[in-house]
């Protein structure tokens, strides 16, 4: 009894091991092509049509996908393996299959006028330090911003230059010069935005005219709105303001997640149009074309009649003139005689 029980246990263990091996061992007449960098397996084996017709399609396809996935996992376990924080990790090789992009390749950001000039002259941008030495306070201060070094806005006394007007307010002059510099920088920024979007704008704001046109004002208003950080998304509209014309619209893409019913319907319509052998007939377009052709034919016929009528009138006049000349000649001959 004891010997038979041991033999039964050994046979049971052997059967369990055989089942485990059969679950991970898959036979294929042709080896699969693997791209482990993309975790991709390509099966070029032909499908057994008899088995596909006999068994349910879903079960057959699920079994085929399961076997191919098992082969992919077996090939992954043949890679170099290392342990990272109590986890077994395999190092994947570089991918060999080039997959298409989901989004188009982003376009390079256009260079500003200064960047174009620096590239032409070979000027390289040098990174400046944030702290500089201030000779007045004898300490290190920031180069820009609040409490910066050489801050001339906090001077309570300004020396009047030799050739300047002694009555002129130097503080107001300094404030005005700063505002002009800020406005110039803003104008250059707007020009760079317009150049990147290929929008034609005047050289300096609006053209010098006493009454600028409605189109020019609309363009200037649109450029000013687009110059914000949100590209005019949160800018309020004026009363009775209309959307500007001839402005490029932002390209819209279909969502990659969510409801795909619209995309499905669009693809089905495209396939239906491709599958239809007869071309789609636009009745309105065909009727309009026929009416235009009839109008053109009738207009040509009228022109021909007008030309013939003019020629007939000219011939009648010539005949009358000839008859009058002959009568005059005949009368002069009779007088002589």
């Amino acid at each position: 009894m004891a010997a038979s029980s041991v033999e039964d246990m050994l046979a049971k263990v052997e059967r369990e091991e055989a089942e485990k091996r059969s679950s991970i061992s898959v036979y294929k007449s042709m080896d699969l092509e693997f791209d482990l960098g993309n975790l991709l397996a390509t099966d070029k084996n032909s499908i057994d049509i008899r088995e596909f017709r006999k068994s349910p399609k879903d079960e057959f396809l699920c079994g085929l996908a399961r076997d191919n996935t098992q082969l992919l996992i077996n090939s992954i376990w043949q890679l170099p393996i290392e342990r990272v924080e109590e986890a077994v990790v395999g190092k994947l090789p570089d991918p060999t299959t080039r997959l298409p992009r989901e989004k188009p390749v982003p376009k390079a950001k256009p260079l500003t006028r200064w960047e174009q000039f620096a590239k032409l002259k070979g000027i390289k941008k040098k990174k400046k330090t944030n702290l500089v030495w201030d000779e007045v306070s004898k300490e290190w201060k920031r180069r820009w911003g609040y409490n910066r070094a050489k801050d001339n806005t906090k001077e309570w006394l300004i020396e009047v230059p030799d050739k300047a007007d002694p009555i002129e307010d130097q503080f107001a002059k300094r404030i005005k010069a700063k505002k002009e510099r800020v406005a110039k920088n803003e104008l250059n920024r707007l020009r760079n935005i317009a150049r990147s979007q290929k929008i034609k704008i005047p050289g300096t704001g609006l053209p010098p005219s006493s009454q600028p046109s409605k189109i020019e004002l609309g363009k200037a208003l649109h450029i000013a709105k687009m110059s914000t950080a949100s590209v005019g998304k949160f800018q309020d509209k004026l009363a009775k303001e209309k959307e500007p014309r001839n402005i490029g619209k932002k390209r819209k893409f279909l969502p990659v997640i969510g409801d795909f019913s619209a995309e499905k319907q669009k693809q089905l319509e495209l396939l239906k149009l491709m599958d239809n052998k007869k071309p789609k007939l636009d009745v309105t377009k065909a009727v309009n074309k026929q009416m235009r052709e009839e109008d053109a034919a009738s207009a040509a016929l009228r022109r021909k009649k007008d030309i013939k009528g003019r020629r007939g009138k000219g011939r009648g006049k010539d005949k009358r003139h000839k008859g009058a000349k002959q009568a005059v000649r005949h009368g002069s001959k009779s007088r002589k005689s």
Side-chain angles (χ1 to χ4, degrees):
M1 293 294 291
S4 61
S5 62
V6 170
E7 289 177 357
D8 293 340
M9 290 179 64
L10 291 174
K12 185 178 180 181
V13 170
E14 288 179 357
R15 286 196 302 270
E16 290 178 356
E17 290 181 355
E19 290 177 359
K20 290 180 181 178
R21 290 173 183 173
S22 63
S23 63
I24 62 174
S25 59
V26 181
Y27 172 75
K28 293 280 185 179
S29 58
M30 292 176 61
D31 294 337
L32 272 66
E33 296 181 0
F34 297 104
D35 182 9
L36 298 180
N38 290 323
L39 297 179
L40 175 66
T42 306
D43 187 5
K44 294 186 177 180
N45 293 285
S46 59
I47 298 174
D48 190 357
I49 299 176
R50 293 181 180 178
E51 187 177 355
F52 178 72
R53 290 176 178 176
K54 289 180 180 179
S55 59
K57 295 181 180 179
D58 294 339
E59 294 182 3
F60 180 81
L61 294 176
C62 288
L64 184 63
R66 182 260 166 205
D67 294 342
N68 293 338
T69 306
Q70 184 64 53
L71 291 173
L72 178 62
I73 294 173
N74 294 344
S75 61
I76 291 173
W77 279 105
Q78 295 175 4
L79 297 173
I81 297 173
E82 58 182 3
R83 186 176 292 275
V84 178
E85 296 180 0
E86 300 181 359
V88 179
V89 179
K91 187 177 181 182
L92 298 177
D94 296 332
T96 57
T97 305
R98 296 184 63 183
L99 299 176
R101 290 178 59 91
E102 180 188 359
K103 304 292 183 183
V105 180
K107 297 181 180 179
K109 188 178 179 181
L111 300 177
T112 61
R113 294 188 64 181
W114 164 248
E115 290 174 347
Q116 293 176 0
F117 176 76
K119 185 178 180 180
L120 181 64
K121 297 295 183 180
I123 302 173
K124 295 183 179 180
K125 187 177 180 180
K126 296 180 181 179
K127 189 175 180 180
K128 296 181 180 180
T129 58
N130 291 332
L131 299 177
V132 293
W133 179 256
D134 189 9
E135 294 291 342
V136 179
S137 60
K138 302 297 182 181
E139 61 181 5
W140 292 94
K141 288 188 175 182
R142 294 183 177 275
R143 188 184 296 272
W144 304 282
Y146 174 74
N147 198 17
R148 63 182 179 273
K150 300 178 182 179
D151 188 4
N152 55 6
T153 59
K154 295 184 178 180
E155 294 179 355
W156 64 275
L157 182 64
I158 300 176
E159 183 179 359
V160 179
D162 296 335
K163 298 181 180 180
D165 187 5
I167 305 175
E168 186 180 11
D169 189 357
Q170 298 297 324
F171 291 98
K173 184 179 179 181
R174 179 177 291 178
I175 293 171
K176 183 179 179 181
K178 183 178 180 180
K179 288 182 178 180
E180 289 178 355
R181 290 196 302 271
V182 172
K184 184 179 179 181
N185 293 334
E186 182 67 14
L187 178 61
N188 292 333
R189 191 177 71 86
L190 293 176
R191 283 179 177 173
N192 292 329
I193 293 173
R195 190 183 298 109
S196 64
Q197 296 183 358
K198 297 181 180 180
I199 299 174
K200 294 182 180 180
I201 58 172
T204 54
L206 293 174
S209 60
S210 58
Q211 292 182 352
S213 65
K214 187 177 180 180
I215 298 174
E216 293 171 349
L217 289 173
K219 286 184 178 180
L221 179 61
H222 177 70
I223 293 169
K225 283 188 175 182
M226 296 293 288
S227 64
T228 58
S230 61
V231 199
K233 186 176 181 181
F234 302 103
Q235 294 296 319
D236 297 332
K237 289 188 177 181
L238 299 175
K240 299 181 181 180
E241 181 182 356
K242 297 181 180 180
E243 293 292 334
R245 296 182 179 179
N246 301 326
I247 302 297
K249 294 183 180 180
K250 189 175 181 181
R251 194 174 171 191
K252 293 183 179 180
F253 298 96
L254 295 175
V256 296
I257 57 174
D259 187 14
F260 296 99
S261 59
E263 183 179 1
K264 181 180 177 181
Q265 186 66 24
K266 187 176 180 181
Q267 297 296 335
L268 288 174
E269 290 178 358
L270 182 60
L271 289 173
K272 185 177 179 181
L273 184 63
M274 293 171 63
D275 191 32
N276 191 8
K277 294 182 180 179
K278 295 181 179 179
K280 188 177 179 181
L281 178 61
D282 191 349
V283 180
T284 307
K285 189 174 181 180
V287 171
N288 292 336
K289 185 178 180 181
Q290 182 66 23
M291 291 173 65
R292 285 196 299 269
E293 290 178 355
E294 291 177 357
D295 293 341
S298 60
L301 186 60
R302 284 196 302 270
R303 283 196 297 270
K304 287 181 180 180
K305 290 181 178 179
D306 293 342
I307 293 170
K308 288 181 179 179
R310 290 172 186 172
R311 288 178 179 175
K313 290 179 181 178
R315 289 175 182 173
K317 288 181 180 179
D318 293 340
K319 289 180 180 179
R320 287 196 297 270
H321 286 304
K322 287 180 180 179
K325 288 180 179 179
Q326 289 177 0
V328 170
R329 289 177 183 174
H330 183 70
S332 60
K333 287 180 180 180
S334 61
R335 285 176 186 174
K336 289 179 179 179
S337 60

